[in-house]
């Protein structure tokens, strides 16, 4: 009986200790489980590639080659969302199945594009049918689309640059330096900081009679804040080339260069952009490590100090829209902030290039609040999209970020307008409307650049005449 009593005591003691340990580790476990779920499908990718391609992948890995993320069998579905409640259902579904990588909302066209993993298709299909949300397939195989329309570092034989193709960061860097050296009468190049991976953050200026000091009104354009949106960078580079080379001898370009200092941040997220060439074509954030998390990167367009951390952001480091630990916590956004702070009184237009959706959007993204000059910005939006569509019929919707695409706080266009009081500020979602999505084919680089410049050109011309900003003899107003 003594032995039985001793056994009972030990069992009860162990039970108590187990309960205490379980309670102690519960929170730790909950923090880790989401990170595990986030990475789980990456391991499935590697496993799938191993099954398909055999042991030679092991040899590559052992030799030090990185295995780019494989999205074979993933599809992009267009889900009809006729109300805010429908949008919330789709976003909730994406969160439930850990599929937040590709969730694009277009409220005027009443749809949400969702990338569905190959192993969750049937579950998601049933959930959509139960919710009575119709859908269609926009991209049947994401990996095949990437293979057909994106290049990788292994595909690039040299760093030779081209305006009609997608270029590595190193090739873009080389072209910017060439322009500054060979066209010094028009171009000045400077670095405003470095990234976590020690890449330079470049600023390129284009103007007639350019000097170190900026003396003209500034047209400020940035691109590539989201790494996977390659066409934003190629469009920015197209405009730079138009201004410098003026191949059609456009008299308006000469007038603009007389009147304005064009300032470009051609690649605002160099580390993330480089990563899309080597590891993950659909990577969005930067590549800075996050404290107390295995997940890397901050969404640079959720890191600006205006209504920071509000609706449309996440405080979870693994999330695609992670806002960062603090406003301007990232080297990239802090460097741009410092430059704009210094020159904000001269900036008359700010354009922030993204893809995709064909949307020309005004602030704000954090709420339905409206800037005091919203009617003016909406009028210039219409002028731009009407001129743009005249080129080949590309149709844009325009309106505030919050109601046109989705709630998004702490974004650059809100900070520029709301904190820096730069009156004309837009976020522009370039083509297309989902057939290619983020994976723009190179054949679209030039036409997207042409039509975008046509819209900007008409907007600048109208605004310049109305505000008496054009200081030139090139334009005679009759």
């Amino acid at each position: 009986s003594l032995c039985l009593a001793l056994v009972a005591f030990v069992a009860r003691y162990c039970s108590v200790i187990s309960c205490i340990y379980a309670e102690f580790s519960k929170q730790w476990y909950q923090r880790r489980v989401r990170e595990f779920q986030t990475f789980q499908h990456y391991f499935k990718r590697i496993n799938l590639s191993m099954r398909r391609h055999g042991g030679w992948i092991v040899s590559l890995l052992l030799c030090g080659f990185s295995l780019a993320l494989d999205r074979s069998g993933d599809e992009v579905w267009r889900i009809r969302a006729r109300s805010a409640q429908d949008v919330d259902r789709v976003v909730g579904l994406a969160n439930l199945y850990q599929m937040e990588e590709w969730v694009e909302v277009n409220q005027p066209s009443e749809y949400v594009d969702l990338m569905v993993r190959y192993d969750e298709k049937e579950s998601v299909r049933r959930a959509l049918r139960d919710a009575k949300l119709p859908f269609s397939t926009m991209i049947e195989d994401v990996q095949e689309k990437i293979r057909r329309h994106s290049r990788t570092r292994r595909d690039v034989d040299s760093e030779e640059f081209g305006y009609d193709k997608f270029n590595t960061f190193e090739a873009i860097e080389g072209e910017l330096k060439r322009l500054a050296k060979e066209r010094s009468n028009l171009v000045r190049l400077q670095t405003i900081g470095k990234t976590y991976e020690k890449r330079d953050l470049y600023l390129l200026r284009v103007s007639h009679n350019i000097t170190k000091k900026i003396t003209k009104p500034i047209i400020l354009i940035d691109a590539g804040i989201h790494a996977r949106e390659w066409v934003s960078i190629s469009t920015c580079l197209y405009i730079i080339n138009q201004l410098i080379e003026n191949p059609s001898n456009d008299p308006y370009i000469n007038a603009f260069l007389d009147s304005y200092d064009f300032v470009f941040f051609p690649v605002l997220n160099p580390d993330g952009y480089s990563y899309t060439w080597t590891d993950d074509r659909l990577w969005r954030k930067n590549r800075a490590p996050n404290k107390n998390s295995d997940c890397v990167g901050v969404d640079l367009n959720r890191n600006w100090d205006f209504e920071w951390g509000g609706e449309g952001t996440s405080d979870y480091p693994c999330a695609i829209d992670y806002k960062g630990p603090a406003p301007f916590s990232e080297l990239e956004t802090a460097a741009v902030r410092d430059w704009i702070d210094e020159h904000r009184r001269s900036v008359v237009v700010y354009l922030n290039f993204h893809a995709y959706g064909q949307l020309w959007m005004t602030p704000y993204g954090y709420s339905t609040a409206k800037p005091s000059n919203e009617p003016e910005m909406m009028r210039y939006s219409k002028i731009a999209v009407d001129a743009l569509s005249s080129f080949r019929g590309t149709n844009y919707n325009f309106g505030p970020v919050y109601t046109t695409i989705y709630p998004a706080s702490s974004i650059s266009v809100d900070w520029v307008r709301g904190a820096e009081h730069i009156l004309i500020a837009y976020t522009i979602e370039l083509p297309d409307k989902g057939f290619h999505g983020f994976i723009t084919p190179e054949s679209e680089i030039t036409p997207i650049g042409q039509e975008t410049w046509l819209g900007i050109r008409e907007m600048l011309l109208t605004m310049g005449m109305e505000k008496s900003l054009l200081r030139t003899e090139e334009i005679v107003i009759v």
Side-chain angles (χ1 to χ4, degrees):
S1 60
L2 181 62
C3 290
L4 289 174
L6 182 61
V7 169
F9 172 79
V10 171
R12 179 174 296 180
Y13 176 79
C14 290
S15 177
V16 170
I17 293 298
S18 297
C19 290
I20 294 173
Y21 177 79
E23 185 64 28
F24 178 77
S25 61
K26 182 179 179 181
Q27 290 186 348
W28 179 91
Y29 172 78
Q30 289 174 339
R31 287 197 302 268
R32 290 292 177 260
V33 71
R34 284 195 69 191
E35 293 191 5
F36 171 77
Q37 289 171 342
T38 300
F39 289 116
Q40 190 176 38
H41 75 278
Y42 286 80
F43 297 139
K44 288 181 180 178
R45 302 292 180 206
I46 295 174
N47 186 44
L48 179 64
S49 295
M50 291 288 288
R51 293 200 310 269
R52 288 181 176 174
H53 306 302
W56 62 269
I57 290 182
V58 175
S59 299
L60 289 176
L61 291 172
L62 291 174
C63 291
F65 288 85
S66 65
L67 184 63
L69 189 60
D70 185 352
R71 291 189 172 83
S72 296
D74 288 1
E75 298 181 359
V76 176
W77 294 357
R78 173 150 297 174
I79 303 164
R80 184 58 57 193
R82 294 186 173 89
S83 67
Q85 291 75 22
D86 287 347
V87 172
D88 289 342
R89 289 189 189 101
V90 177
V91 172
L93 196 65
N95 293 336
L96 177 65
Y97 288 99
Q98 295 289 315
M99 294 186 299
E100 301 101 331
E101 288 177 283
W102 187 326
V103 184
E104 285 296 303
V105 180
N106 189 310
Q107 295 191 62
S109 299
E110 298 183 335
Y111 68 75
V112 180
D113 287 348
L114 174 66
M115 185 171 71
V116 181
R117 290 200 311 272
Y118 74 99
D119 57 333
E120 298 287 5
K121 287 182 199 174
E122 290 307 314
S123 299
V124 176
R125 183 178 284 111
R126 285 194 299 271
L128 291 174
R129 286 175 177 165
D130 291 344
K132 295 182 172 55
L133 293 173
F135 65 94
S136 58
T137 301
M138 296 298 292
I139 299 176
E140 292 185 349
D141 189 318
V142 173
Q143 191 63 34
E144 176 62 17
K145 181 76 76 172
I146 291 172
R147 187 192 66 78
R148 289 176 59 196
H149 295 305
S150 296
R151 297 186 300 148
T152 68
R153 287 303 301 263
R154 292 188 297 275
D155 300 323
V156 181
D157 295 329
S158 69
E159 295 299 338
E160 183 178 350
F161 178 89
Y163 284 99
D164 59 351
K165 68 180 183 179
F166 294 117
N167 299 277
T168 64
F169 177 74
E170 291 76 15
I172 294 170
E173 184 177 46
E175 176 65 4
L176 298 179
K177 291 179 178 179
R178 183 192 73 80
L179 292 172
K181 180 179 180 180
E182 297 181 6
R183 304 303 300 271
S184 58
N185 60 319
L186 286 175
V187 178
R188 290 185 72 94
L189 180 67
Q190 66 184 89
T191 58
I192 61 166
K194 286 188 178 292
T195 66
Y196 173 77
E197 294 179 350
K198 306 305 180 186
R199 292 182 177 87
D200 286 322
L201 289 164
Y202 287 105
L203 177 152
L204 187 84
R205 291 173 48 210
V206 184
S207 186
H208 281 163
N209 304 313
I210 196 164
T211 60
K212 183 177 181 179
K213 184 177 180 180
I214 297 177
T215 58
K216 302 174 186 177
I218 295 169
I219 309 298
L220 179 59
I221 302 175
D222 70 48
I225 193 169
H226 287 153
R228 62 190 177 185
E229 297 166 12
W230 287 12
V231 74
S232 70
I233 296 170
S234 66
T235 301
C236 184
L237 294 169
Y238 177 91
I239 294 171
I240 289 171
N241 188 51
Q242 289 297 301
L243 292 172
I244 295 173
E245 300 299 335
N246 193 5
S248 59
N249 197 28
D250 183 347
Y252 293 134
I253 287 180
N254 292 327
F256 292 154
L257 293 179
D258 284 344
S259 307
Y260 301 119
D261 207 310
F262 285 83
V263 176
F264 299 91
F265 296 107
V267 188
L268 214 155
N269 182 4
D271 292 351
Y273 180 64
S274 297
Y275 191 73
T276 64
W277 281 77
T278 58
D279 290 73
D280 183 358
R281 175 61 182 84
L282 297 181
W283 185 260
R284 170 178 161 118
K285 302 188 286 184
N286 71 355
R287 293 295 301 164
N290 292 308
K291 189 176 181 181
N292 299 324
S293 175
D294 294 328
C295 294
V296 172
V298 167
D299 183 343
L300 296 179
N301 206 33
R302 299 294 186 275
N303 192 237
W304 301 78
D305 193 10
F306 187 80
E307 301 294 333
W308 180 75
E311 191 175 359
T313 70
S314 175
D315 58 4
Y316 177 54
C318 297
I320 200 167
D321 55 356
Y322 175 50
K323 67 188 189 314
F328 296 122
S329 59
E330 304 311 293
L331 295 170
E332 299 89 344
T333 53
V336 175
R337 173 204 60 196
D338 293 345
W339 191 91
I340 294 178
D341 272 345
E342 183 181 349
H343 299 91
R344 62 182 174 180
R345 294 185 184 277
S346 299
V347 179
V348 294
V349 174
Y350 170 70
L351 303 176
N352 171 228
F353 285 164
H354 288 264
Y356 61 99
Q358 294 170 204
L359 304 169
W360 196 288
M361 296 181 291
T362 60
Y364 289 110
Y366 79 93
S367 78
T368 56
K370 297 179 179 180
S372 58
N373 68 323
E374 187 190 51
E376 177 185 45
M377 281 195 286
M378 293 289 278
R379 185 167 59 85
Y380 288 144
S381 294
K382 188 175 190 314
I383 289 169
V385 301
D386 285 350
L388 186 156
S389 67
S390 70
F391 179 71
R392 58 169 180 166
T394 303
N395 294 316
Y396 271 64
N397 294 109
F398 62 93
V401 171
Y402 189 93
T403 55
T404 303
I405 187 167
Y406 43 63
S409 302
S410 326
I411 60 178
S412 65
V413 73
D414 281 15
W415 178 79
V416 163
R417 179 63 187 86
E420 300 294 271
H421 307 293
I422 294 166
L423 294 180
I424 307 298
Y426 298 105
T427 289
I428 301 171
E429 294 281 355
L430 298 165
D432 60 6
K433 283 203 169 185
F435 182 72
H436 297 291
F438 299 113
I439 313 164
T440 310
E442 288 188 332
S443 60
E444 282 291 296
I445 290 174
T446 299
I448 289 173
Q450 289 173 316
E451 65 190 8
T452 305
W453 170 242
L454 194 60
I456 294 170
R457 173 180 172 270
E458 194 64 27
M459 182 190 72
L460 292 181
L461 181 60
T462 304
M463 186 190 74
M465 289 180 174
E466 290 180 353
K467 297 179 181 294
S468 301
L469 293 171
L470 294 175
R471 310 296 186 192
T472 180
E473 297 179 0
E474 290 282 349
I475 299 175
V476 179
I477 305 174
V478 179

